[in-house]
Amino acid sequence: MASSLTKNASAKSKSFSTRTPASILRELHDSSEGFGFYAASPRLIRHVEYFIGGQDGNILVAKGGPQAKEFIIRGVFEISRNDFNFTPDANFNPSNVFHGRFSDVKLSCRLTAGRNDMFRFSSEDFPDVLDNIAHFEGLIPRERDYEKLSAVHVSLGQRSIRLIHGLFEAKNQDKYDTASDEDDDCSTDSLSSDFDIATWPVADRCKGHLQDLRSTHNLIPPLEYESKLKGALVEVHMAFFHHRVKNAKRDVFNAILRQLTVLSPPAAMPINPFKRHRLNTGPLNARNKKAK
């Protein structure tokens, strides 16, 4: 069970029965096959540098290679139930001028420390993951008077990583792609009708904008979203980007989803004891019935 993302972001369905927490941690630490580094490994900054990509932003790449190779970090996290926008239209509102163009919409969610006792390392190593991200961001020289928008967010004293995924990709755009040949087979041409851009289930307010994109963009959809992902424990592989927005004087850092596997489904939400509570079933009414 996983979120299946085409081309640049893919998901692998792996049998959890054959992968124990210990074996998953060993896989995360093993960088010999070139699939990325464990996000909590010490001093990852020694292995990276930024490839200057102009308007497409600056991408974190492995240092010292013959050609620029996207640097992937991976780990186990819990997807927060708050600020969850992995929905068909990412809650895009065309009447909000700050939302920009529908073609640029990004799905997003927050990654937090895992709370699963079997994956205790997720919680124990989370501070080290955040330290590595801070070091990645520190590689970009700060411009005077520029605001920094970190990939790490703090709310009510809790830190989380904002993970994003582009929903659309321009058909004629050559993008930097590190996906394997196996991932390339997951093109939009092989997707079922459930993932046809013409029938993608956006809100009514977005339908006109969606139709405008049919001839110019492909859909890069998640196979399983809100009901499967919100609150789930997941293995995430992600890339790291920086954009300098000169007209707004901002340095923006983003963690970009490359692969996601659900390790443990969301826990059931506790039932509110006051929900659907009948007013005539209280203790006072019970005494009155006995008196009769």
Side-chain angles (χ1 to χ4, degrees):
M1 178 172 60
S3 161
S4 178
L5 307 173
T6 68
K7 201 169 183 180
N8 281 334
S10 66
K12 307 294 184 184
S13 178
K14 301 180 181 179
S15 172
F16 182 63
S17 61
T18 61
R19 302 180 75 219
T20 65
S23 68
I24 290 173
L25 182 58
R26 284 196 300 270
E27 292 173 10
L28 293 173
H29 277 287
D30 183 9
S31 58
S32 61
E33 296 184 11
F35 295 141
F37 286 77
Y38 183 41
S41 297
R43 301 190 65 186
L44 284 180
I45 193 173
R46 296 178 299 175
H47 303 282
V48 301
E49 61 188 357
Y50 279 97
F51 176 81
I52 307 303
Q55 291 184 345
D56 292 331
N58 307 319
I59 180 173
L60 197 71
V61 298
K63 183 187 293 185
Q67 61 182 15
K69 182 179 179 181
E70 189 174 70
F71 190 82
I72 301 296
I73 59 174
R74 53 194 184 174
V76 172
F77 309 93
E78 184 173 311
I79 297 181
S80 174
R81 295 181 181 273
N82 299 323
D83 298 321
F84 184 90
N85 293 304
F86 260 66
T87 57
D89 53 34
N91 298 324
F92 178 81
N93 185 352
S95 63
N96 188 332
V97 296
F98 296 105
H99 280 195
R101 300 177 303 178
F102 190 45
S103 59
D104 296 330
V105 71
K106 299 290 190 297
L107 308 185
S108 66
C109 65
R110 302 290 177 89
L111 302 178
T112 62
R115 293 178 292 178
N116 187 310
D117 288 339
M118 295 177 62
F119 291 86
R120 188 172 299 173
F121 67 84
S122 173
S123 175
E124 294 173 346
D125 292 352
F126 192 65
D128 294 328
V129 176
L130 299 179
D131 286 345
N132 276 326
I133 291 178
H135 291 148
F136 296 159
E137 295 180 350
L139 288 175
I140 297 294
R142 292 291 302 275
E143 291 284 346
R144 184 178 180 182
D145 298 329
Y146 268 61
E147 178 186 9
K148 174 185 173 182
L149 297 183
S150 174
V152 176
H153 289 243
V154 181
S155 178
L156 300 177
Q158 299 297 317
R159 294 188 293 175
S160 62
I161 303 166
R162 184 172 182 261
L163 183 71
I164 68 172
H165 169 61
L167 186 58
F168 300 107
E169 179 182 46
K171 290 183 177 180
N172 60 349
Q173 182 177 356
D174 294 328
K175 297 189 70 175
Y176 185 79
D177 185 13
T178 60
S180 65
D181 294 337
E182 178 184 353
D183 294 336
D184 288 340
D185 292 338
C186 298
S187 66
T188 51
D189 294 335
S190 65
L191 293 172
S192 70
S193 59
D194 292 338
F195 303 110
D196 187 340
I197 192 171
T199 57
W200 187 240
V202 299
D204 289 341
R205 64 180 182 272
C206 300
K207 287 182 177 178
H209 295 265
L210 183 68
Q211 296 306 312
D212 293 339
L213 301 180
R214 290 182 60 183
S215 61
T216 58
H217 286 73
N218 288 320
L219 182 66
I220 313 178
L223 177 62
E224 302 281 1
Y225 47 100
E226 193 160 9
S227 64
K228 301 293 184 182
L229 297 179
K230 184 188 286 188
L233 188 77
V234 294
E235 177 183 336
V236 172
H237 296 211
M238 52 189 159
F240 205 74
F241 279 74
H242 162 258
H243 291 82
R244 176 155 288 168
V245 186
K246 293 184 178 180
N247 58 350
K249 289 190 174 183
R250 286 179 175 174
D251 281 313
V252 182
F253 296 91
N254 287 312
I256 312 294
L257 177 61
R258 288 295 181 248
Q259 181 175 310
L260 183 149
T261 303
V262 175
L263 301 175
S264 180
M269 292 293 289
I271 299 176
N272 187 336
F274 296 100
K275 190 174 183 180
R276 296 182 180 178
H277 187 71
R278 295 175 58 189
L279 295 178
N280 62 352
T281 58
L284 182 60
N285 291 75
R287 288 199 299 270
N288 290 339
K289 288 181 180 180
K290 289 182 180 180
K292 292 180 180 180

